Amino acid sequence: MPPKKKAAAPEPPPLIGRPGTNLKCGIVGLPNVGKSSFFNVITKSAAPAENFPFCTIEPNENRVAVPDERFDYLCEHHKPASRVPAYLHITDIAGLVKGAHEGQGLGNAFLSHIKGVDAFFHVCRAFEDDDVTHVEGDVNPVRDLEIISEELRLKDIDYVEKAVASLEKSCVRGGDKKQKPEYDTIIKARAVLVEEKKDIRACTWSGVEIEMLNKHLLLSSKPVIYLVNLSERDYARKKNKWLAKIKEWVDERDPFAIIIPFSAGLEAALVDMEPAEQEARLAELKTTTMLPKIIKTGFRALALEYFFTAGPDEVRAWTIQKGTKAPQAAGRIHTDFEKGFIMAEVMAFEDFKEYETEVAAKAAGKYRQQGRNYVVLDGDIIFFKFNAGAGLSAKKK
């Protein structure tokens, strides 16, 4: 008998959130869990990371290049005058405490800042250090995860109750049938949050419901990457008493989310070293830096990808949302490219690397001409052809 096929892994639910390419990941967590230290390292900036609660009040924003060996290869191949990678925008937000949905700590400021990001890096502390105070008195990352998750859910409940009242006034009593899909969706969201005590992203939503939810951008609908901040020793030996408990909590509450253990302390030490010194230190510990994985995971969590334009003048990664068609991808370069779109000449990066030149790739049949319905794939190398006069308005007679 032929072997049974393995059951396909369940597909993650569609992303709920605003469309666009200028999206942000926000760093959230309780005070003193390592958020600002992580932000400092990942952006190589100098935000304060003092050991007291709420040292971050206004959010620090920065951007970090998305590491990509394909981009590096194209730059090495073409040796261009200009190199422009893809960027991930990151925001460090003030620490949250229990009761923030009611304004405790810096709750109101925190929750207004967090509304402006599209995904979360949720940092939780799993290291012991008597010199670094813990706002709850002791280290318990599972409890900390619950506090943050609960505060966001409670804030969503507060928002949804007001939205229901507003929609009842216009849709139910006012008879506005156009708002019925939105009203039904918000009623379902309230049931998920209040009765089931679940996050919005943990439930199944139809295409119409997602469209309605995107008008409201609820906090618990946003994707989360869980970053477990370990001591240097625990990170190097890949052991910590909390890791299994954290995984159990995330699997139950947020089954499609990714957990990444890292050490902010180790990363902070590495960022000040020369490359050779970094390599020696990592070899000594028999480990690797987690920053590239964290950045790439944050970028993918926003449903973003990019295509390349490449030549001796410039190698550039152009950020698009997954599922973008060729004319809209061309519009990322210039609106006239989209208006006058004729075709896209496309090579997969892997084919270019294998055949080493555009001419050789063409000869092997790997250089394709694609039309308006072509969905651009991550890593495509594209040359767009367009009608230069298509975007010009007719002259008045």
Side-chain angles (χ1 to χ4, degrees):
M1 285 179 66
K4 291 183 178 180
K5 292 184 178 178
K6 289 184 179 179
E11 285 289 317
L15 182 69
I16 303 171
R18 64 190 176 106
T21 56
N22 190 28
L23 305 180
K24 299 175 184 177
C25 273
I27 304 171
V28 301
L30 291 176
N32 291 357
V33 297
K35 299 186 311 303
S36 292
S37 296
F38 167 63
F39 178 81
N40 290 347
V41 168
I42 206 166
T43 64
K44 295 183 180 178
S45 64
E50 283 83 2
N51 173 27
F52 58 88
F54 317 125
C55 75
T56 303
I57 298 176
E58 293 301 317
N60 296 289
E61 294 190 10
N62 213 324
R63 65 177 190 171
V64 56
V66 179
D68 192 325
E69 292 177 357
R70 300 170 300 178
F71 178 80
D72 295 339
Y73 178 89
L74 292 172
C75 289
E76 181 62 29
H77 180 88
H78 290 289
K79 295 180 171 53
S82 173
R83 307 177 183 207
V84 185
Y87 288 100
L88 174 65
H89 294 263
I90 298 177
T91 302
D92 178 25
I93 304 170
L96 178 65
V97 294
K98 192 183 293 184
H101 71 285
E102 297 174 333
Q104 294 295 317
L106 294 170
N108 290 330
F110 171 93
L111 292 162
S112 65
H113 293 151
I114 209 172
K115 195 86 174 174
V117 302
D118 304 281
F120 301 137
F121 285 128
H122 185 163
V123 180
C124 63
R125 173 180 169 179
F127 67 89
E128 299 281 353
D129 188 338
D130 292 338
D131 294 330
V132 181
T133 59
H134 194 293
V135 73
E136 289 294 317
D138 63 336
V139 173
N140 184 336
V142 175
R143 174 204 59 209
D144 298 349
L145 289 170
E146 189 66 41
I147 288 172
I148 299 290
S149 178
E150 184 70 359
E151 289 301 323
L152 298 183
R153 187 179 67 83
L154 290 171
K155 191 63 178 178
D156 276 349
I157 290 173
D158 182 54
Y159 175 91
V160 163
E161 294 290 5
K162 293 174 183 175
V164 167
S166 175
L167 286 166
E168 279 182 345
K169 184 177 180 181
S170 58
C171 178
V172 179
R173 297 196 295 274
D176 186 349
K177 294 181 180 179
K178 289 182 180 179
Q179 290 191 316
K180 185 70 164 58
E182 184 177 357
Y183 174 73
D184 291 342
T185 302
I186 291 298
I187 290 293
K188 178 180 174 180
R190 182 172 67 176
V192 167
L193 292 163
V194 176
E195 296 166 21
E196 299 179 36
K197 293 183 167 29
K198 289 183 178 179
D199 294 329
I200 295 297
R201 65 179 172 277
C203 297
T204 302
W205 303 92
S206 69
V208 171
E209 287 172 335
I210 288 174
E211 186 179 344
M212 297 301 107
L213 286 172
N214 285 348
K215 295 182 178 182
H216 299 276
L217 301 177
L218 296 171
L219 301 178
S220 68
S221 71
K222 302 181 182 191
V224 180
I225 301 112
Y226 295 92
L227 304 181
V228 184
N229 190 7
L230 305 174
S231 67
E232 182 177 310
R233 179 175 176 271
D234 284 358
Y235 175 71
R237 68 193 184 111
K238 298 179 174 63
K239 289 183 180 179
N240 180 279
K241 67 179 182 179
W242 292 106
L243 288 175
K245 296 174 184 177
I246 291 169
K247 185 178 187 308
E248 182 182 349
W249 186 91
V250 172
D251 286 348
E252 182 182 345
R253 290 291 302 267
D254 207 351
F256 293 100
I258 293 173
I259 304 168
I260 305 177
F262 81 113
S263 172
L266 173 61
E267 300 292 356
L270 291 172
V271 80
D272 292 326
M273 296 179 186
E274 295 296 325
E277 193 180 356
Q278 288 180 2
E279 288 182 20
R281 180 60 178 150
L282 291 171
E284 178 188 346
L285 294 172
K286 297 179 181 178
T287 190
T288 57
T289 173
M290 271 294 154
L291 294 187
K293 180 177 181 179
I294 291 171
I295 296 167
K296 290 177 182 178
T297 304
F299 195 81
R300 288 195 296 267
L302 296 169
L304 298 177
E305 59 188 17
Y306 42 84
F307 65 91
F308 299 111
T309 53
D313 293 332
E314 181 180 74
V315 170
R316 184 166 186 147
W318 298 90
T319 300
I320 55 174
Q321 285 207 303
K322 286 182 180 178
T324 298
K325 292 187 177 180
Q328 289 70 49
R332 290 285 296 134
I333 300 174
H334 197 286
T335 53
D336 285 353
F337 280 35
E338 181 177 357
K339 292 173 183 175
F341 178 86
I342 297 174
M343 70 173 68
E345 296 184 344
V346 182
M347 277 185 297
F349 169 81
E350 291 74 15
D351 294 330
F352 178 77
K353 185 175 181 180
E354 179 181 350
Y355 293 99
E356 297 185 343
T357 67
E358 185 180 308
V359 173
K362 280 183 178 178
K366 302 295 184 180
Y367 195 88
R368 313 180 308 278
Q369 293 184 334
Q370 302 286 4
R372 292 184 169 276
N373 291 323
Y374 176 68
V375 176
V376 175
L377 301 178
D378 184 56
D380 277 350
I381 302 170
I382 306 181
F383 177 77
F384 292 105
K385 290 188 174 179
F386 70 104
N387 178 356
L392 301 176
S393 57
K395 292 182 180 179
K396 292 181 179 180
K397 294 182 180 179

